Amino acid sequence: METVSRPEDARYWVLACQDRKERVGLVPTMGALHEGHLSLVRAARNDCERVVVSIFVNPAQFSPGEDLETYPRPRQRDLELCEREGVDLVFEPLRGDMYLPGHSTYVHVEGLSAGLEGAHRPNFFRGVATVVLKLFHILPADVAYFGRKDAQQLAVVRRMVQDLFVPIEIKACPTVREPDGLAMSSRNAYLSPEERAAAPALYQALMAGRRAFLSGARDPAAVTEAARRRLAEEERFLLQYLECVDAETFQPAVAPLSGRELLATAAFLGSTRLIDNIQLQEG
Ligand code: AMP
């Protein structure tokens, strides 16, 4: 496995693979890797001759007061995990090489970026779209892998790739969960033991919404109400949003629900912000 930090070296590496007719799969991450990230690596491994993982904690997607400086950065462990998974190249750029002095160009995906995460984290999707497009230029891979755990982010990336004619295929991978249902996240490491014990209630709330749908509720309000009631049982949670949305547009879902809609939520557990989502009807 190789590691490079200079964008020009990374680009040269990818182009050399493609000269040899090797397909390159890219897994963009912020590091602190867990089984969720590794599932994307395995999907890439399965499809492509070469796998690149990028590790970059992207300042542009954090708002003031968020955890940019304290975000976990277990570099050695991340490299070991990549090595073990058969990753070929790890790209770990410096902040100053990704955002040059005087940097002033941003990608804004309108509409999709407005609700849910976008409403609570100003600049988040602008930061994500900007860094992902930079990565796609630096690492012109054939396929890039994203997790459904961040469903709105996936939709924003797909929209950007389509609108800007970026020649890369986007593949979505299912959310990987702990045995108790908690979606894996690098931020789960912030949870105290008591918070960790309470955390699965977020997923259980989504499942309560799904059960309401499966027992016949076709009105979005009935589904979200069932989910909110379940979350309210765990008083440590401070809810930011819990919404039923169209899976493509992220606009509020309308009755009658078809089952293809997403039930998406974000909540604080102490000072840790957790997000999760499920499709109302599995599959
Ligand atoms: P992050 O390092 O949090 O920016 O995530 C990098 C990629 O891993 C994104 O495409 C995420 O959607 C994906 N990811 C994060 N957590 C999970 C999970 N639990 N299951 C599947 N994919 C995930």
Side-chain angles (χ1 to χ4, degrees):
M1 185 178 82
E2 289 179 58
T3 60
V4 297
S5 58
R6 284 166 25 128
E8 50 274 40
D9 294 341
R11 188 173 156 81
Y12 179 82
W13 191 96
V14 172
L15 294 176
C17 292
Q18 289 164 338
D19 272 353
R20 296 191 297 267
K21 304 281 176 250
E22 296 166 347
R23 271 166 68 82
V24 178
L26 169 63
V27 179
T29 80
M30 298 208 301
L33 303 180
H34 50 67
E35 280 295 315
H37 299 112
L38 300 184
S39 73
L40 307 188
V41 169
R42 287 171 201 143
R45 188 72 291 159
N46 198 46
D47 297 344
C48 303
E49 282 78 35
R50 297 286 173 186
V51 177
V52 182
V53 170
S54 65
I55 299 181
F56 180 60
V57 182
N58 172 34
Q61 70 190 64
F62 287 78
S63 295
E66 290 186 347
D67 54 345
L68 171 62
E69 299 308 336
T70 54
Y71 197 85
R73 289 166 170 86
R75 177 170 186 269
Q76 216 42 51
R77 181 166 185 278
D78 284 351
L79 293 180
E80 279 164 25
L81 287 172
C82 286
E83 177 92 57
R84 205 183 301 162
E85 292 297 328
V87 170
D88 298 288
L89 181 74
V90 175
F91 175 51
E92 35 176 13
L94 297 172
R95 244 187 234 186
D97 287 340
M98 290 297 275
Y99 293 90
L100 299 174
H103 179 278
S104 55
T105 306
Y106 292 91
V107 180
H108 175 54
V109 178
E110 290 182 356
L112 265 178
S113 299
L116 306 187
E117 285 300 286
H120 290 274
R121 301 186 70 190
N123 296 336
F124 175 67
F125 287 121
R126 183 182 86 143
V128 167
T130 302
V131 82
V132 169
L133 188 61
K134 283 173 189 280
L135 289 170
F136 287 173
H137 282 129
I138 295 167
L139 301 159
D142 298 275
V143 193
Y145 296 81
F146 289 85
R148 291 195 189 279
K149 152 94 188 330
D150 302 278
Q152 195 178 5
Q153 166 176 292
L154 169 66
V156 164
V157 169
R158 279 194 194 285
R159 185 78 253 169
M160 174 188 75
V161 161
Q162 208 177 335
D163 287 349
L164 300 182
F165 301 96
V166 185
I168 192 162
E169 183 186 348
I170 304 298
K171 282 204 180 174
C173 299
T175 301
V176 177
R177 299 180 179 282
E178 300 286 357
D180 60 12
L182 175 65
M184 290 196 181
S185 163
S186 306
R187 289 190 169 99
N188 292 351
Y190 298 151
L191 299 171
S192 70
E194 296 74 26
E195 289 165 348
R196 175 63 189 82
L202 197 61
Y203 177 60
Q204 286 159 11
L206 297 179
M207 294 305 275
R210 173 182 285 167
R211 275 197 304 279
F213 172 79
L214 293 176
S215 14
R218 290 296 177 267
D219 182 3
V223 167
T224 53
E225 189 41 44
R228 287 199 187 116
R229 260 203 312 277
R230 173 62 188 91
L231 193 64
E233 288 172 24
E234 183 44 76
E235 56 194 28
R236 288 167 181 269
F237 273 103
L238 182 65
L239 183 62
Q240 279 207 317
Y241 64 79
L242 197 163
E243 305 287 344
C244 198
V245 294
D246 180 278
E248 264 120 60
T249 63
F250 280 77
Q251 292 298 303
V254 288
L257 294 166
S258 69
R260 286 190 296 275
E261 297 83 359
L262 298 183
L263 195 53
T265 186
F268 275 99
L269 188 47
S271 53
T272 305
R273 188 171 182 279
L274 301 178
I275 65 170
D276 202 350
N277 72 88
I278 58 169
Q279 191 159 35
L280 274 185
Q281 191 146 38
E282 214 167 2

